[in-house]
Amino acid sequence: MKSIYVDYAATTPLDPRVLQAMMPYLTTKYGNAESLNTYGMGAKCALEESRTILSKFMNAENQEIIFTGSATEANNMVLKCHALQQGMNKVHIAISTIEHPCIHNPATWLKKNGANITFIPVDSQGLLDLEYLEKVLKAGVTLVSVIHGNNEIGTIQDIEEIGRLCHEHNTYFHTDAAQTFGKIPIDVKKMNIDIMTMNAHKTYGPKGVGALYLNNEVKMEPYLHGGEQEFGLRAGTHNVPGIVGFAKTVDLREKEMHEEAKKLTKLRDRLIKGALEIEETYLNGHSTKRLANNVNVRFLYIEGESLVLNLDMEGIAASSGSACSSRTEEASRILLALGLDTIDVRGPLRISLGKTNTEEDIDYILEVLPRAVKQLRRMSPLAPTKFRQEN
Ligand SMILES: Cc1ncc(COP(=O)(O)O)c(C=O)c1O
């Protein structure tokens, strides 16, 4: 049976060149980067070289890069440490209604604990309502956090403009770039970003390593207390192999991301066009301002989860939304935020492409998909009679 992986937004395979770069730090060069002996100094050197690679890639200073254990950790750190810095009854954080659960849930938790949290709406294609943002900024918000490229619907925000508006009102601007870092060029200075979240495993790097860009001007309370690692902001022995792998990933992305984006955009557009030929099927997210690898479509009258399982049986590994919420009701929160009806948010299918995918994979998906949708509609009590009687 065929085996086609199209769940690259959830995670990606490790690039063998990245593994090769990591291997010495997993085997012979195992020193603690804080130790003063030869082993420790070797690890420290690798750590600082990695920091330089990341900082150059986004036009930041070395001391503005804080390594973390994941993008989830970095996002939690931003919101919770900002609230600690400001004080729970003084802080006012604004986030968009389409944030990843690792921003949405800490924000909701802070709200429960007395923080002032505002949710900024998006339009039907997922673009932030900039007029609403301006109103919120005028009300005296202390931090704005908006996802760069949405992990479910793929919409890419105009980050530069959002950052400009925040700066006009002397407000810090954070963006979760877990889905765009290493896929789209990001210059933090030019794009008016004060704080940015990244990770390695969405771009062929190792899992369990992330980073935060934190502009020198931004004051933040430490997240994990303990040793003095990461400028005293994030204690804990460094994951040197992971960090070296992250840097190698970034190095490769710098050379390869443009070509890959061109190839994936072509495959993506062909797949969207083919999927939309199926009756009563609609695109979720923006038609052009979207991640090069993201296809998200909804098929009326069927459940996305059932479709994912059907496709899996045919050797196609896709998903129905965020991997972090695929086992909960949460999967529809993003589509509801676009203003869709509850009936419309049942059937999203997310196909996220990556470097192994080919034209032949798209041919195969477009052969299987109409058949799978037809089969599920035939069994769906929600489908009009004509779908239930189709052979
Ligand atoms: C937009 C976004 N933010 C954050 C995360 C969390 O990343 P990590 O797996 O590194 O915690 C993800 C991954 O699903 C994501 O897509």
PDB file of all heavy atoms in Angstrom, residues 280-284 296-304 331-332 334-336 338-349 377 382:
ATOM      1  N   GLU A 280     -19.964  20.947  -2.891  1.00  0.00           N
ATOM      2  CA  GLU A 280     -20.151  21.479  -1.533  1.00  0.00           C
ATOM      3  C   GLU A 280     -18.888  21.342  -0.666  1.00  0.00           C
ATOM      4  O   GLU A 280     -18.902  20.822   0.446  1.00  0.00           O
ATOM      5  CB  GLU A 280     -21.356  20.823  -0.867  1.00  0.00           C
ATOM      6  CG  GLU A 280     -22.615  21.054  -1.694  1.00  0.00           C
ATOM      7  CD  GLU A 280     -23.856  21.253  -0.854  1.00  0.00           C
ATOM      8  OE1 GLU A 280     -23.790  21.957   0.151  1.00  0.00           O
ATOM      9  OE2 GLU A 280     -24.892  20.698  -1.261  1.00  0.00           O
ATOM     10  N   THR A 281     -17.802  21.798  -1.275  1.00  0.00           N
ATOM     11  CA  THR A 281     -16.497  21.794  -0.601  1.00  0.00           C
ATOM     12  C   THR A 281     -15.970  23.219  -0.607  1.00  0.00           C
ATOM     13  O   THR A 281     -16.082  23.912  -1.630  1.00  0.00           O
ATOM     14  CB  THR A 281     -15.521  20.861  -1.357  1.00  0.00           C
ATOM     15  OG1 THR A 281     -16.066  19.555  -1.315  1.00  0.00           O
ATOM     16  CG2 THR A 281     -14.132  20.864  -0.740  1.00  0.00           C
ATOM     17  N   TYR A 282     -15.406  23.653   0.507  1.00  0.00           N
ATOM     18  CA  TYR A 282     -14.951  25.046   0.614  1.00  0.00           C
ATOM     19  C   TYR A 282     -13.559  25.123   1.213  1.00  0.00           C
ATOM     20  O   TYR A 282     -13.176  24.279   2.027  1.00  0.00           O
ATOM     21  CB  TYR A 282     -15.934  25.853   1.481  1.00  0.00           C
ATOM     22  CG  TYR A 282     -17.340  25.791   0.926  1.00  0.00           C
ATOM     23  CD1 TYR A 282     -18.228  24.823   1.377  1.00  0.00           C
ATOM     24  CD2 TYR A 282     -17.754  26.663  -0.083  1.00  0.00           C
ATOM     25  CE1 TYR A 282     -19.508  24.720   0.846  1.00  0.00           C
ATOM     26  CE2 TYR A 282     -19.035  26.570  -0.618  1.00  0.00           C
ATOM     27  CZ  TYR A 282     -19.909  25.602  -0.155  1.00  0.00           C
ATOM     28  OH  TYR A 282     -21.162  25.503  -0.696  1.00  0.00           O
ATOM     29  N   LEU A 283     -12.853  26.176   0.813  1.00  0.00           N
ATOM     30  CA  LEU A 283     -11.500  26.398   1.343  1.00  0.00           C
ATOM     31  C   LEU A 283     -11.596  27.134   2.675  1.00  0.00           C
ATOM     32  O   LEU A 283     -12.352  28.107   2.805  1.00  0.00           O
ATOM     33  CB  LEU A 283     -10.710  27.255   0.336  1.00  0.00           C
ATOM     34  CG  LEU A 283      -9.263  27.575   0.718  1.00  0.00           C
ATOM     35  CD1 LEU A 283      -8.384  26.320   0.696  1.00  0.00           C
ATOM     36  CD2 LEU A 283      -8.678  28.628  -0.230  1.00  0.00           C
ATOM     37  N   ASN A 284     -10.842  26.713   3.661  1.00  0.00           N
ATOM     38  CA  ASN A 284     -10.727  27.444   4.928  1.00  0.00           C
ATOM     39  C   ASN A 284      -9.425  28.231   4.903  1.00  0.00           C
ATOM     40  O   ASN A 284      -8.391  27.707   4.499  1.00  0.00           O
ATOM     41  CB  ASN A 284     -10.688  26.475   6.116  1.00  0.00           C
ATOM     42  CG  ASN A 284     -11.977  25.693   6.274  1.00  0.00           C
ATOM     43  OD1 ASN A 284     -13.060  26.251   6.121  1.00  0.00           O
ATOM     44  ND2 ASN A 284     -11.867  24.408   6.546  1.00  0.00           N
ATOM     45  N   ASN A 296      -6.469  23.466   3.580  1.00  0.00           N
ATOM     46  CA  ASN A 296      -7.494  23.167   4.592  1.00  0.00           C
ATOM     47  C   ASN A 296      -8.849  23.391   3.945  1.00  0.00           C
ATOM     48  O   ASN A 296      -9.199  24.501   3.570  1.00  0.00           O
ATOM     49  CB  ASN A 296      -7.309  24.057   5.829  1.00  0.00           C
ATOM     50  CG  ASN A 296      -8.222  23.615   6.970  1.00  0.00           C
ATOM     51  OD1 ASN A 296      -9.418  23.391   6.775  1.00  0.00           O
ATOM     52  ND2 ASN A 296      -7.655  23.483   8.155  1.00  0.00           N
ATOM     53  N   VAL A 297      -9.572  22.281   3.795  1.00  0.00           N
ATOM     54  CA  VAL A 297     -10.871  22.353   3.119  1.00  0.00           C
ATOM     55  C   VAL A 297     -11.938  21.696   3.976  1.00  0.00           C
ATOM     56  O   VAL A 297     -11.633  20.824   4.797  1.00  0.00           O
ATOM     57  CB  VAL A 297     -10.842  21.663   1.731  1.00  0.00           C
ATOM     58  CG1 VAL A 297     -10.270  22.566   0.667  1.00  0.00           C
ATOM     59  CG2 VAL A 297     -10.069  20.364   1.771  1.00  0.00           C
ATOM     60  N   ARG A 298     -13.175  22.154   3.806  1.00  0.00           N
ATOM     61  CA  ARG A 298     -14.268  21.497   4.532  1.00  0.00           C
ATOM     62  C   ARG A 298     -15.272  20.932   3.537  1.00  0.00           C
ATOM     63  O   ARG A 298     -15.595  21.558   2.527  1.00  0.00           O
ATOM     64  CB  ARG A 298     -14.933  22.456   5.516  1.00  0.00           C
ATOM     65  CG  ARG A 298     -15.553  23.675   4.919  1.00  0.00           C
ATOM     66  CD  ARG A 298     -16.098  24.609   6.003  1.00  0.00           C
ATOM     67  NE  ARG A 298     -16.900  25.681   5.409  1.00  0.00           N
ATOM     68  CZ  ARG A 298     -16.404  26.790   4.885  1.00  0.00           C
ATOM     69  NH1 ARG A 298     -15.108  26.990   4.853  1.00  0.00           N
ATOM     70  NH2 ARG A 298     -17.211  27.702   4.361  1.00  0.00           N
ATOM     71  N   PHE A 299     -15.720  19.738   3.852  1.00  0.00           N
ATOM     72  CA  PHE A 299     -16.687  19.037   3.010  1.00  0.00           C
ATOM     73  C   PHE A 299     -17.967  18.974   3.816  1.00  0.00           C
ATOM     74  O   PHE A 299     -17.977  18.359   4.891  1.00  0.00           O
ATOM     75  CB  PHE A 299     -16.191  17.615   2.719  1.00  0.00           C
ATOM     76  CG  PHE A 299     -14.793  17.575   2.144  1.00  0.00           C
ATOM     77  CD1 PHE A 299     -13.686  17.442   2.973  1.00  0.00           C
ATOM     78  CD2 PHE A 299     -14.584  17.687   0.783  1.00  0.00           C
ATOM     79  CE1 PHE A 299     -12.409  17.418   2.462  1.00  0.00           C
ATOM     80  CE2 PHE A 299     -13.311  17.658   0.254  1.00  0.00           C
ATOM     81  CZ  PHE A 299     -12.206  17.532   1.088  1.00  0.00           C
ATOM     82  N   LEU A 300     -19.005  19.619   3.326  1.00  0.00           N
ATOM     83  CA  LEU A 300     -20.238  19.648   4.113  1.00  0.00           C
ATOM     84  C   LEU A 300     -20.778  18.243   4.343  1.00  0.00           C
ATOM     85  O   LEU A 300     -20.580  17.352   3.529  1.00  0.00           O
ATOM     86  CB  LEU A 300     -21.297  20.509   3.413  1.00  0.00           C
ATOM     87  CG  LEU A 300     -20.995  22.008   3.293  1.00  0.00           C
ATOM     88  CD1 LEU A 300     -22.282  22.786   3.004  1.00  0.00           C
ATOM     89  CD2 LEU A 300     -20.314  22.587   4.532  1.00  0.00           C
ATOM     90  N   TYR A 301     -21.427  18.081   5.473  1.00  0.00           N
ATOM     91  CA  TYR A 301     -22.168  16.884   5.903  1.00  0.00           C
ATOM     92  C   TYR A 301     -21.296  15.749   6.450  1.00  0.00           C
ATOM     93  O   TYR A 301     -21.816  14.694   6.799  1.00  0.00           O
ATOM     94  CB  TYR A 301     -23.080  16.316   4.778  1.00  0.00           C
ATOM     95  CG  TYR A 301     -23.779  17.386   3.996  1.00  0.00           C
ATOM     96  CD1 TYR A 301     -23.579  17.538   2.628  1.00  0.00           C
ATOM     97  CD2 TYR A 301     -24.625  18.293   4.645  1.00  0.00           C
ATOM     98  CE1 TYR A 301     -24.194  18.544   1.909  1.00  0.00           C
ATOM     99  CE2 TYR A 301     -25.245  19.314   3.930  1.00  0.00           C
ATOM    100  CZ  TYR A 301     -25.012  19.437   2.569  1.00  0.00           C
ATOM    101  OH  TYR A 301     -25.616  20.444   1.866  1.00  0.00           O
ATOM    102  N   ILE A 302     -19.967  15.935   6.466  1.00  0.00           N
ATOM    103  CA  ILE A 302     -19.167  14.828   7.023  1.00  0.00           C
ATOM    104  C   ILE A 302     -18.233  15.329   8.124  1.00  0.00           C
ATOM    105  O   ILE A 302     -17.943  16.516   8.212  1.00  0.00           O
ATOM    106  CB  ILE A 302     -18.351  14.068   5.944  1.00  0.00           C
ATOM    107  CG1 ILE A 302     -17.347  14.994   5.255  1.00  0.00           C
ATOM    108  CG2 ILE A 302     -19.249  13.381   4.950  1.00  0.00           C
ATOM    109  CD1 ILE A 302     -16.423  14.266   4.319  1.00  0.00           C
ATOM    110  N   GLU A 303     -17.759  14.397   8.924  1.00  0.00           N
ATOM    111  CA  GLU A 303     -16.836  14.718  10.015  1.00  0.00           C
ATOM    112  C   GLU A 303     -15.408  14.622   9.493  1.00  0.00           C
ATOM    113  O   GLU A 303     -15.055  13.619   8.855  1.00  0.00           O
ATOM    114  CB  GLU A 303     -16.964  13.656  11.140  1.00  0.00           C
ATOM    115  CG  GLU A 303     -18.335  13.500  11.717  1.00  0.00           C
ATOM    116  CD  GLU A 303     -18.534  14.372  12.955  1.00  0.00           C
ATOM    117  OE1 GLU A 303     -17.593  15.099  13.301  1.00  0.00           O
ATOM    118  OE2 GLU A 303     -19.628  14.315  13.526  1.00  0.00           O
ATOM    119  N   GLY A 304     -14.594  15.626   9.816  1.00  0.00           N
ATOM    120  CA  GLY A 304     -13.195  15.608   9.399  1.00  0.00           C
ATOM    121  C   GLY A 304     -12.458  14.382   9.924  1.00  0.00           C
ATOM    122  O   GLY A 304     -11.671  13.755   9.215  1.00  0.00           O
ATOM    123  N   ALA A 331     -10.994  21.244  18.110  1.00  0.00           N
ATOM    124  CA  ALA A 331     -10.620  21.312  16.704  1.00  0.00           C
ATOM    125  C   ALA A 331     -11.382  22.380  15.933  1.00  0.00           C
ATOM    126  O   ALA A 331     -10.873  22.910  14.955  1.00  0.00           O
ATOM    127  CB  ALA A 331     -10.821  19.960  16.050  1.00  0.00           C
ATOM    128  N   SER A 332     -12.591  22.714  16.358  1.00  0.00           N
ATOM    129  CA  SER A 332     -13.399  23.642  15.581  1.00  0.00           C
ATOM    130  C   SER A 332     -13.249  25.102  16.024  1.00  0.00           C
ATOM    131  O   SER A 332     -13.807  25.984  15.401  1.00  0.00           O
ATOM    132  CB  SER A 332     -14.862  23.237  15.681  1.00  0.00           C
ATOM    133  OG  SER A 332     -15.233  23.298  17.039  1.00  0.00           O
ATOM    134  N   ILE A 334     -11.004  27.362  15.766  1.00  0.00           N
ATOM    135  CA  ILE A 334     -10.449  28.270  14.760  1.00  0.00           C
ATOM    136  C   ILE A 334     -11.498  28.562  13.675  1.00  0.00           C
ATOM    137  O   ILE A 334     -11.681  29.707  13.267  1.00  0.00           O
ATOM    138  CB  ILE A 334      -9.168  27.657  14.128  1.00  0.00           C
ATOM    139  CG1 ILE A 334      -8.151  27.290  15.208  1.00  0.00           C
ATOM    140  CG2 ILE A 334      -8.574  28.571  13.055  1.00  0.00           C
ATOM    141  CD1 ILE A 334      -7.625  28.415  16.058  1.00  0.00           C
ATOM    142  N   LEU A 335     -12.201  27.505  13.241  1.00  0.00           N
ATOM    143  CA  LEU A 335     -13.204  27.726  12.190  1.00  0.00           C
ATOM    144  C   LEU A 335     -14.382  28.536  12.710  1.00  0.00           C
ATOM    145  O   LEU A 335     -14.931  29.368  11.986  1.00  0.00           O
ATOM    146  CB  LEU A 335     -13.681  26.394  11.604  1.00  0.00           C
ATOM    147  CG  LEU A 335     -12.621  25.547  10.886  1.00  0.00           C
ATOM    148  CD1 LEU A 335     -13.271  24.378  10.161  1.00  0.00           C
ATOM    149  CD2 LEU A 335     -11.814  26.368   9.898  1.00  0.00           C
ATOM    150  N   LEU A 336     -14.753  28.338  13.963  1.00  0.00           N
ATOM    151  CA  LEU A 336     -15.831  29.149  14.552  1.00  0.00           C
ATOM    152  C   LEU A 336     -15.414  30.617  14.577  1.00  0.00           C
ATOM    153  O   LEU A 336     -16.228  31.510  14.340  1.00  0.00           O
ATOM    154  CB  LEU A 336     -16.164  28.670  15.967  1.00  0.00           C
ATOM    155  CG  LEU A 336     -16.932  27.341  16.068  1.00  0.00           C
ATOM    156  CD1 LEU A 336     -17.010  26.886  17.525  1.00  0.00           C
ATOM    157  CD2 LEU A 336     -18.325  27.457  15.471  1.00  0.00           C
ATOM    158  N   LEU A 338     -13.767  32.122  12.447  1.00  0.00           N
ATOM    159  CA  LEU A 338     -13.907  32.707  11.099  1.00  0.00           C
ATOM    160  C   LEU A 338     -15.360  33.094  10.830  1.00  0.00           C
ATOM    161  O   LEU A 338     -15.673  33.641   9.777  1.00  0.00           O
ATOM    162  CB  LEU A 338     -13.464  31.709  10.019  1.00  0.00           C
ATOM    163  CG  LEU A 338     -12.054  31.139  10.095  1.00  0.00           C
ATOM    164  CD1 LEU A 338     -11.784  30.242   8.898  1.00  0.00           C
ATOM    165  CD2 LEU A 338     -11.009  32.241  10.161  1.00  0.00           C
ATOM    166  N   GLY A 339     -16.241  32.747  11.772  1.00  0.00           N
ATOM    167  CA  GLY A 339     -17.657  33.094  11.618  1.00  0.00           C
ATOM    168  C   GLY A 339     -18.449  31.978  10.971  1.00  0.00           C
ATOM    169  O   GLY A 339     -19.596  32.178  10.564  1.00  0.00           O
ATOM    170  N   LEU A 340     -17.856  30.788  10.881  1.00  0.00           N
ATOM    171  CA  LEU A 340     -18.585  29.681  10.253  1.00  0.00           C
ATOM    172  C   LEU A 340     -19.607  29.093  11.218  1.00  0.00           C
ATOM    173  O   LEU A 340     -19.439  29.151  12.432  1.00  0.00           O
ATOM    174  CB  LEU A 340     -17.599  28.589   9.826  1.00  0.00           C
ATOM    175  CG  LEU A 340     -16.676  28.954   8.668  1.00  0.00           C
ATOM    176  CD1 LEU A 340     -15.618  27.886   8.472  1.00  0.00           C
ATOM    177  CD2 LEU A 340     -17.478  29.134   7.389  1.00  0.00           C
ATOM    178  N   ASP A 341     -20.623  28.505  10.633  1.00  0.00           N
ATOM    179  CA  ASP A 341     -21.686  27.875  11.388  1.00  0.00           C
ATOM    180  C   ASP A 341     -21.182  26.575  12.023  1.00  0.00           C
ATOM    181  O   ASP A 341     -20.264  25.967  11.470  1.00  0.00           O
ATOM    182  CB  ASP A 341     -22.769  27.499  10.357  1.00  0.00           C
ATOM    183  CG  ASP A 341     -24.107  27.721  10.945  1.00  0.00           C
ATOM    184  OD1 ASP A 341     -24.511  26.828  11.694  1.00  0.00           O
ATOM    185  OD2 ASP A 341     -24.710  28.790  10.662  1.00  0.00           O
ATOM    186  N   THR A 342     -21.791  26.149  13.145  1.00  0.00           N
ATOM    187  CA  THR A 342     -21.324  24.899  13.778  1.00  0.00           C
ATOM    188  C   THR A 342     -21.396  23.720  12.806  1.00  0.00           C
ATOM    189  O   THR A 342     -20.569  22.821  12.853  1.00  0.00           O
ATOM    190  CB  THR A 342     -22.162  24.555  15.033  1.00  0.00           C
ATOM    191  OG1 THR A 342     -23.510  24.850  14.749  1.00  0.00           O
ATOM    192  CG2 THR A 342     -21.698  25.330  16.235  1.00  0.00           C
ATOM    193  N   ILE A 343     -22.352  23.738  11.918  1.00  0.00           N
ATOM    194  CA  ILE A 343     -22.507  22.634  10.958  1.00  0.00           C
ATOM    195  C   ILE A 343     -21.332  22.604   9.961  1.00  0.00           C
ATOM    196  O   ILE A 343     -20.906  21.565   9.505  1.00  0.00           O
ATOM    197  CB  ILE A 343     -23.877  22.729  10.231  1.00  0.00           C
ATOM    198  CG1 ILE A 343     -24.260  21.396   9.593  1.00  0.00           C
ATOM    199  CG2 ILE A 343     -23.952  23.836   9.221  1.00  0.00           C
ATOM    200  CD1 ILE A 343     -25.168  20.600  10.472  1.00  0.00           C
ATOM    201  N   ASP A 344     -20.780  23.801   9.684  1.00  0.00           N
ATOM    202  CA  ASP A 344     -19.685  23.918   8.706  1.00  0.00           C
ATOM    203  C   ASP A 344     -18.333  23.523   9.270  1.00  0.00           C
ATOM    204  O   ASP A 344     -17.390  23.311   8.525  1.00  0.00           O
ATOM    205  CB  ASP A 344     -19.558  25.375   8.236  1.00  0.00           C
ATOM    206  CG  ASP A 344     -20.602  25.718   7.204  1.00  0.00           C
ATOM    207  OD1 ASP A 344     -21.162  24.787   6.618  1.00  0.00           O
ATOM    208  OD2 ASP A 344     -20.834  26.918   7.004  1.00  0.00           O
ATOM    209  N   VAL A 345     -18.234  23.503  10.599  1.00  0.00           N
ATOM    210  CA  VAL A 345     -16.903  23.295  11.168  1.00  0.00           C
ATOM    211  C   VAL A 345     -16.617  21.828  11.480  1.00  0.00           C
ATOM    212  O   VAL A 345     -15.604  21.485  12.051  1.00  0.00           O
ATOM    213  CB  VAL A 345     -16.674  24.157  12.447  1.00  0.00           C
ATOM    214  CG1 VAL A 345     -16.861  25.626  12.154  1.00  0.00           C
ATOM    215  CG2 VAL A 345     -17.574  23.710  13.582  1.00  0.00           C
ATOM    216  N   ARG A 346     -17.535  20.954  11.056  1.00  0.00           N
ATOM    217  CA  ARG A 346     -17.370  19.531  11.359  1.00  0.00           C
ATOM    218  C   ARG A 346     -16.374  18.828  10.453  1.00  0.00           C
ATOM    219  O   ARG A 346     -15.739  17.870  10.863  1.00  0.00           O
ATOM    220  CB  ARG A 346     -18.717  18.816  11.215  1.00  0.00           C
ATOM    221  CG  ARG A 346     -19.775  19.285  12.172  1.00  0.00           C
ATOM    222  CD  ARG A 346     -21.147  18.923  11.642  1.00  0.00           C
ATOM    223  NE  ARG A 346     -21.285  17.486  11.447  1.00  0.00           N
ATOM    224  CZ  ARG A 346     -21.730  16.648  12.356  1.00  0.00           C
ATOM    225  NH1 ARG A 346     -22.076  17.099  13.539  1.00  0.00           N
ATOM    226  NH2 ARG A 346     -21.840  15.363  12.113  1.00  0.00           N
ATOM    227  N   GLY A 347     -16.253  19.305   9.233  1.00  0.00           N
ATOM    228  CA  GLY A 347     -15.498  18.502   8.271  1.00  0.00           C
ATOM    229  C   GLY A 347     -14.180  19.043   7.770  1.00  0.00           C
ATOM    230  O   GLY A 347     -13.843  18.815   6.613  1.00  0.00           O
ATOM    231  N   PRO A 348     -13.376  19.764   8.596  1.00  0.00           N
ATOM    232  CA  PRO A 348     -12.139  20.249   8.015  1.00  0.00           C
ATOM    233  C   PRO A 348     -11.121  19.127   7.800  1.00  0.00           C
ATOM    234  O   PRO A 348     -11.017  18.211   8.615  1.00  0.00           O
ATOM    235  CB  PRO A 348     -11.612  21.254   9.051  1.00  0.00           C
ATOM    236  CG  PRO A 348     -12.144  20.788  10.339  1.00  0.00           C
ATOM    237  CD  PRO A 348     -13.482  20.169  10.032  1.00  0.00           C
ATOM    238  N   LEU A 349     -10.439  19.225   6.692  1.00  0.00           N
ATOM    239  CA  LEU A 349      -9.335  18.303   6.419  1.00  0.00           C
ATOM    240  C   LEU A 349      -8.111  19.174   6.202  1.00  0.00           C
ATOM    241  O   LEU A 349      -8.124  20.068   5.354  1.00  0.00           O
ATOM    242  CB  LEU A 349      -9.627  17.486   5.151  1.00  0.00           C
ATOM    243  CG  LEU A 349      -8.449  16.620   4.675  1.00  0.00           C
ATOM    244  CD1 LEU A 349      -8.220  15.443   5.611  1.00  0.00           C
ATOM    245  CD2 LEU A 349      -8.689  16.116   3.252  1.00  0.00           C
ATOM    246  N   ARG A 377     -20.471  10.682   2.812  1.00  0.00           N
ATOM    247  CA  ARG A 377     -21.738  11.414   2.651  1.00  0.00           C
ATOM    248  C   ARG A 377     -22.908  10.453   2.477  1.00  0.00           C
ATOM    249  O   ARG A 377     -24.022  10.717   2.923  1.00  0.00           O
ATOM    250  CB  ARG A 377     -21.649  12.363   1.451  1.00  0.00           C
ATOM    251  CG  ARG A 377     -20.913  13.648   1.800  1.00  0.00           C
ATOM    252  CD  ARG A 377     -20.804  14.573   0.636  1.00  0.00           C
ATOM    253  NE  ARG A 377     -20.231  15.857   1.019  1.00  0.00           N
ATOM    254  CZ  ARG A 377     -19.783  16.764   0.157  1.00  0.00           C
ATOM    255  NH1 ARG A 377     -19.829  16.522  -1.143  1.00  0.00           N
ATOM    256  NH2 ARG A 377     -19.291  17.905   0.599  1.00  0.00           N
ATOM    257  N   LEU A 382     -26.863  13.783   7.889  1.00  0.00           N
ATOM    258  CA  LEU A 382     -26.972  15.226   7.631  1.00  0.00           C
ATOM    259  C   LEU A 382     -27.027  15.546   6.135  1.00  0.00           C
ATOM    260  O   LEU A 382     -27.437  16.629   5.725  1.00  0.00           O
ATOM    261  CB  LEU A 382     -25.741  15.955   8.205  1.00  0.00           C
ATOM    262  CG  LEU A 382     -25.543  15.880   9.712  1.00  0.00           C
ATOM    263  CD1 LEU A 382     -24.176  16.403  10.078  1.00  0.00           C
ATOM    264  CD2 LEU A 382     -26.622  16.691  10.412  1.00  0.00           C
TER     265      LEU A 382
END
